[in-house]
Amino acid sequence: MTTDSTATVFSTEQVRRARYAIATVFAVHGAVTGSFATRVPWIQDHAGLSAGQLGIALAFPAIGASLAMPLAGAISHRFGSRTALRGLLMLWTLALVLPALAPNLLTLCAALLVYGASAGMSDVAMNALGVEVENRLNKSIMSGLHGMWSMGALIGSAAGTVAAHVGADARLHHVIAALVLTALGLIACRRVLDLRSEPDAEAPPRFTLPPRSALIIGAVGFCAVFAEGASLDWSAVYLRDVLDSSAGLAAASTTAFALTMAVARIAGDRVVDRFGAVRTVRTGGVLATVGGVLVVAAPNALLAMCGFGLMGLGIAVVVPLAFAAAGRSGSNPSRAIAGVATITYTSGLIAPSAIGSLAEATSLVVSFGLVSVLAFGLVLGAGVLRAGDRKVSSPAAGVPGPAPAEPRL
């Protein structure tokens, strides 16, 4: 986002309302993802796809996001943060309808291209506004905001679990969900901060390389988001195909994963304040690795669901801390945040495709073995998130502390 945010003054009440509004936006965004994830098996069957073909289709959200995410800053620059977020979020909620309508591989790829593009742009816009609210409150809220995203994903996946259990058509399910979530999103966007660029401000470039700090931090975020994307989109398929579970129980595995993510993120700000970013992420990496191994070795659905739950618990706070670390590293925090957002978000969109391709060549068990290896990467790379520990140097609202040096391994 390229608004001159430091020149815009908001009252304490406006910032407080904006915090609740952006939290609702995060929840709506997550609910779209949860609604889609639980119906992936239905969409696969409806389009008549193999695991490999599904993996190809699930690559298109990554393509759409990669092409569209750089446009989010330019859209916010032109229309202001509130109008931009309102339009991008509505595009995302309505895009939920498209995948379930696709009757074959080609149309599903096209639908997921639009789905990914709208997801990426709205994600960048809402995270940028979340960081702005955090700076004005002068306290950590990003983990809580991502916790609200997970709560939304939990609600969306829970509704999807019920729909799958009763055998509801995903097309009807997603139309209803899209209409409800669009209405909630439009209401929430009325209270977000309305940041606008100065009249003579230069428009941001459509593409810029992220700084070195963002690449290092993004590598750790990549590991966490890969595990998250793989679990959200493939946990239900894993239980159905590998452990021969019912459609309802398979969908419930996605709900279990989303539940642990939500609980851990909501409590994340306090945990990080007490134990520090590095220790928190390393401990989480151990839990996520154990969870991945449990999924691979599980002889039944219950143990596999426990494994997915441990993975959700272990990776929950990594992405919020990656954004926090990026915002306090180097000389250009906005550029670093955008770079980390691109790396981590693209990871989540690439993961389902990579899991499907590897499953086609080997098996889903081997695919989640790779997820376990990447989860262990959190243990090794946690040190780069040291800057995610919030240290405020001034009590004045909206004045962040000084940026630390480049993150260290």
Side-chain angles (χ1 to χ4, degrees), residues 252-265:
S253 67
T254 306
T255 303
F257 178 82
L259 176 62
T260 55
M261 287 278 290
V263 171
R265 281 179 170 169

Side-chain angles (χ1 to χ4, degrees), residues 115-296:
Y115 177 87
S118 58
M121 290 189 293
S122 57
D123 186 87
V124 169
M126 72 184 191
N127 271 288
L129 274 173
V131 172
E132 293 288 352
V133 172
E134 180 176 87
N135 288 339
R136 284 166 169 76
L137 289 174
N138 218 11
K139 64 179 181 179
S140 298
I141 66 167
M142 288 302 292
S143 181
L145 290 180
H146 283 258
M148 289 299 297
W149 187 96
S150 295
M151 284 297 296
L154 172 63
I155 293 171
S157 64
T161 298
V162 173
H165 181 72
V166 300
D169 190 304
R171 291 168 294 190
L172 176 61
H173 165 211
H174 283 173
V175 166
I176 295 173
L179 292 176
V180 172
L181 294 173
T182 298
L184 290 175
L186 290 176
I187 293 171
C189 285
R190 296 172 61 186
R191 296 288 189 178
V192 301
L193 297 181
D194 191 14
L195 303 172
R196 295 182 177 273
S197 301
E198 294 296 325
D200 58 347
E202 183 179 355
R206 292 188 176 183
F207 177 79
T208 182
L209 292 176
R212 176 177 173 271
S213 60
L215 295 176
I216 298 172
I217 294 167
V220 176
F222 182 96
C223 295
V225 178
F226 191 98
E228 180 180 353
S231 298
L232 279 174
D233 280 357
W234 283 96
S235 57
V237 178
Y238 188 95
L239 262 70
R240 185 194 64 179
D241 292 355
V242 176
L243 299 174
D244 197 28
S245 301
S246 66
L249 185 59
S253 67
T254 306
T255 303
F257 178 82
L259 176 62
T260 55
M261 287 278 290
V263 171
R265 281 179 170 169
I266 289 174
D269 290 321
R270 292 183 180 180
V271 174
V272 173
D273 286 342
R274 180 171 181 179
F275 298 105
V278 176
R279 188 182 300 178
T280 300
V281 171
R282 280 187 177 145
T283 302
V286 171
L287 291 176
T289 303
V290 171
V293 172
L294 187 57
V295 168
V296 171

